[in-house]
Amino acid sequence: MDSIKNRRTIRKYTEQDIPADLLDSLLEESFRASTMGNMQLYSVVVTRDPEMKAKLAPAHFNQPMVTSAPVVLTFCADYNRFSLWCRQRKAEPGYDNFMSFINAASDTLLVTQNFCTLAEASGLGICYLGTTIYDPARIIQILNLPKLVMPVATITVGYPDEHPDQPDRLPLRAIVHEETYKDYTPAMIDDIYAYKEALPENKHFVEINHTETLAQIFTDIRYTKSDNESMSANLIEVIKKQGF
Amino acid sequence: MDSIKNRRTIRKYTEQDIPADLLDSLLEESFRASTMGNMQLYSVVVTRDPEMKAKLAPAHFNQPMVTSAPVVLTFCADYNRFSLWCRQRKAEPGYDNFMSFINAASDTLLVTQNFCTLAEASGLGICYLGTTIYDPARIIQILNLPKLVMPVATITVGYPDEHPDQPDRLPLRAIVHEETYKDYTPAMIDDIYAYKEALPENKHFVEINHTETLAQIFTDIRYTKSDNESMSANLIEVIKKQGF
């Protein structure tokens, strides 16, 4: 499927809006993804209003796509709707727990990826914002998410106004294991990461960051232990606060 | 995209095997999904050996697809490979925490869905096994998963030997919220679930399960509070045991 094979994340969009009909049909088709027990444990909040985008932006570290994309979609794990239905049907829901959060988040991420595939096949470009779970309390407040609803992914979407190079990927042998997981020897690690490390853009990246290795950019600058630890504590707290 | 629009889960497969080349190319293309910082925080374990399938089956409640599908894929959140690379490059990884598990699991689920889409577009049928996180310790042991590797999704895949009806989905208005989340009134819940409740197969389902409502099948039989609670405790324990 060429639209998957040739995809690249798009962070710059033209002024062209996304017709409501098109967005609706992409979302509706995306909901065909596998879902646990056909419970459809997700909701999607559509942001088009510039004021709402401006409010959301800080939760996403002010990445410019949030305000410049015609549409921002927040995909939420949602056990609220299903639990309301249960209560209205003399059934006592038992979904206020971690397992149910993971089940709903899984449903949600399958739909998120399905939406991205469909959007890209229609000529749209998307950017996946991993920041959604960095400061979820702020998003919850802005989007008015009730208990048992938790944002897990944000997608900015619009018509592409750039055509960036396709980023590298690790070779297949780095990811796929036959029958059992074969742990990596030092030689395998060298082999697997050689291409990535030799890329001019990554060598440049190391230079401008004044690190000794590419890996240090990840551990010391981009995804540090202390950030991860404070965000872990926060994320667990918010998941619990949302009633899971 | 018709293969998404018309998809249905396939649980019965013909005897036809999946060529290794085809499987490799589907997996390779699936890795084009968005990934946090291009870290590709996932591994895939391919099970073709009937003995391995027989070992995995109990972890999936002996669902027959596990032993009857030509290929079983276990998609794992993986911070092991990346951390090994860091250590080998004088970088101290800080990914032994909950946030890193969620980031890796998100990467993994996007790839899982991408694989399913690609497989279905190639004429294969898939079944997503939500059971992967019910008894993950058993899967970890069978597949020999080291620390910082956690199974999050299992897909059985093969050529379809059935053409089931497409299951219902909730109407778009049930899932999509404009600008902010509008919580559901009792009338909205009645409206949204009316179609599902009126389906003959669901009425039959209520009858044979001797419940009063369809919702009670979920709360009292399929996804009970006590099961969810014990599986939550177990899942948290295993995630921690795997070093996150």
Side-chain angles (χ1 to χ4, degrees):
Chain A
M1 202 181 285
D2 286 351
S3 61
I4 291 182
K5 203 173 187 166
N6 301 322
R7 73 166 299 278
R8 44 264 281 164
T9 288
I10 298 296
R11 293 181 175 82
K12 281 187 170 175
Y13 310 99
T14 68
E15 296 284 307
Q16 195 184 341
D17 210 347
I18 304 174
D21 285 6
L22 174 61
L23 186 66
D24 281 355
S25 83
L26 296 173
L27 285 167
E28 192 150 27
E29 284 183 38
S30 74
F31 303 153
R32 278 284 147 208
S34 296
T35 157
M36 165 161 278
N38 201 9
M39 289 187 279
Q40 296 189 261
L41 302 170
Y42 43 77
S43 277
V44 186
V45 183
V46 180
T47 307
R48 287 183 180 271
D49 179 356
E51 274 181 45
M52 290 300 287
K53 289 178 195 164
K55 280 189 197 170
L56 284 172
H60 296 291
F61 292 14
N62 291 308
Q63 291 179 91
M65 300 80 81
V66 178
T67 47
S68 66
V71 171
V72 178
L73 299 174
T74 307
F75 289 81
C76 306
D78 188 339
Y79 243 124
N80 170 55
R81 182 179 55 244
F82 193 82
S83 298
L84 286 172
W85 176 61
C86 291
R87 289 224 169 79
Q88 217 161 306
R89 295 293 183 270
K90 304 183 191 171
E92 188 52 39
Y95 309 117
D96 53 346
N97 42 58
F98 182 67
M99 187 73 189
S100 300
F101 166 68
I102 295 287
N103 285 335
S106 300
D107 258 28
T108 307
L109 287 162
L110 300 184
V111 157
T112 304
Q113 181 56 41
N114 234 11
F115 174 82
C116 293
T117 298
L118 288 159
E120 290 173 335
S122 300
L124 292 161
I126 68 97
C127 183
Y128 184 102
L129 305 185
T131 40
T132 311
I133 49 172
Y134 288 8
D135 186 6
R138 194 194 281 247
I139 296 173
I140 288 164
Q141 186 257 316
I142 296 166
L143 300 183
N144 200 26
L145 306 181
K147 285 210 166 192
L148 298 183
V149 182
M150 179 78 193
V152 296
T154 301
I155 304 294
T156 59
V157 55
Y159 289 93
D161 197 23
E162 63 171 353
H163 189 72
D165 289 338
Q166 210 182 23
D168 66 291
R169 288 290 189 262
L170 297 174
L172 191 73
R173 64 182 180 282
I175 315 273
V176 177
H177 301 256
E178 303 294 337
E179 302 300 340
T180 54
Y181 190 101
K182 313 294 183 309
D183 210 356
Y184 303 85
T185 62
M188 282 163 79
I189 292 288
D190 283 343
D191 166 57
I192 287 166
Y193 285 94
Y195 179 79
K196 185 187 284 289
E197 292 173 315
L199 287 173
E201 62 264 35
N202 281 336
K203 290 193 161 185
H204 178 67
F205 208 30
V206 170
E207 239 179 68
I208 59 170
N209 278 289
H210 308 290
T211 59
E212 195 184 337
T213 67
L214 182 62
Q216 288 171 354
I217 298 179
F218 289 89
T219 56
D220 300 356
I221 301 170
R222 296 188 68 190
Y223 306 103
T224 67
K225 188 179 178 69
S226 65
D227 279 356
N228 277 326
E229 285 177 353
S230 68
M231 287 193 296
S232 292
N234 178 58
L235 182 57
I236 291 168
E237 196 188 304
V238 176
I239 290 170
K240 283 185 184 164
K241 229 178 181 172
Q242 284 309 93
F244 285 110
Chain B
M1 201 181 285
D2 285 350
S3 60
I4 291 182
K5 205 173 185 167
N6 301 324
R7 75 167 297 280
R8 46 262 282 161
T9 289
I10 298 296
R11 293 181 176 83
K12 282 187 170 175
Y13 309 100
T14 68
E15 296 284 307
Q16 196 185 341
D17 209 351
I18 303 174
D21 285 5
L22 174 62
L23 187 65
D24 280 356
S25 83
L26 296 174
L27 285 167
E28 192 151 28
E29 284 184 37
S30 76
F31 302 153
R32 279 283 146 209
S34 296
T35 157
M36 167 160 276
N38 201 10
M39 289 187 277
Q40 295 189 257
L41 303 169
Y42 43 78
S43 277
V44 186
V45 183
V46 180
T47 307
R48 286 183 180 270
D49 179 356
E51 272 183 45
M52 290 300 286
K53 288 177 196 166
K55 279 189 198 171
L56 283 173
H60 296 291
F61 293 12
N62 291 308
Q63 291 178 92
M65 301 80 80
V66 177
T67 46
S68 66
V71 172
V72 178
L73 299 174
T74 307
F75 289 81
C76 306
D78 188 339
Y79 243 124
N80 170 55
R81 180 178 57 244
F82 193 82
S83 297
L84 287 171
W85 177 59
C86 290
R87 289 224 169 78
Q88 216 161 307
R89 295 293 182 269
K90 304 182 190 174
E92 187 51 37
Y95 309 117
D96 54 345
N97 42 59
F98 182 67
M99 188 73 189
S100 299
F101 166 67
I102 295 287
N103 285 335
S106 299
D107 258 27
T108 307
L109 287 162
L110 301 184
V111 157
T112 304
Q113 180 56 41
N114 233 11
F115 173 82
C116 293
T117 298
L118 289 159
E120 290 173 336
S122 299
L124 292 160
I126 68 98
C127 183
Y128 185 101
L129 304 185
T131 39
T132 310
I133 48 172
Y134 288 9
D135 186 6
R138 194 193 280 247
I139 297 173
I140 288 164
Q141 187 258 315
I142 296 166
L143 300 183
N144 199 26
L145 306 181
K147 284 209 168 194
L148 299 184
V149 182
M150 178 79 194
V152 297
T154 302
I155 304 294
T156 58
V157 54
Y159 289 94
D161 196 25
E162 64 171 353
H163 189 71
D165 288 338
Q166 209 182 24
D168 65 290
R169 288 290 189 262
L170 297 175
L172 191 73
R173 66 183 178 280
I175 315 274
V176 178
H177 301 255
E178 305 293 336
E179 303 300 340
T180 54
Y181 190 101
K182 311 296 183 312
D183 209 355
Y184 302 84
T185 63
M188 282 162 79
I189 292 289
D190 284 342
D191 166 57
I192 288 166
Y193 286 95
Y195 179 77
K196 185 187 285 289
E197 292 173 315
L199 286 173
E201 62 265 35
N202 282 335
K203 290 194 161 184
H204 178 68
F205 208 29
V206 170
E207 239 178 69
I208 59 170
N209 277 288
H210 307 290
T211 59
E212 195 182 339
T213 67
L214 182 62
Q216 288 171 355
I217 298 179
F218 289 89
T219 56
D220 300 356
I221 302 169
R222 297 188 67 189
Y223 306 102
T224 67
K225 188 179 177 70
S226 65
D227 279 356
N228 278 326
E229 285 177 354
S230 67
M231 289 193 294
S232 291
N234 178 58
L235 182 58
I236 291 167
E237 196 188 303
V238 177
I239 290 170
K240 283 185 184 165
K241 229 177 180 172
Q242 284 309 94
F244 285 109

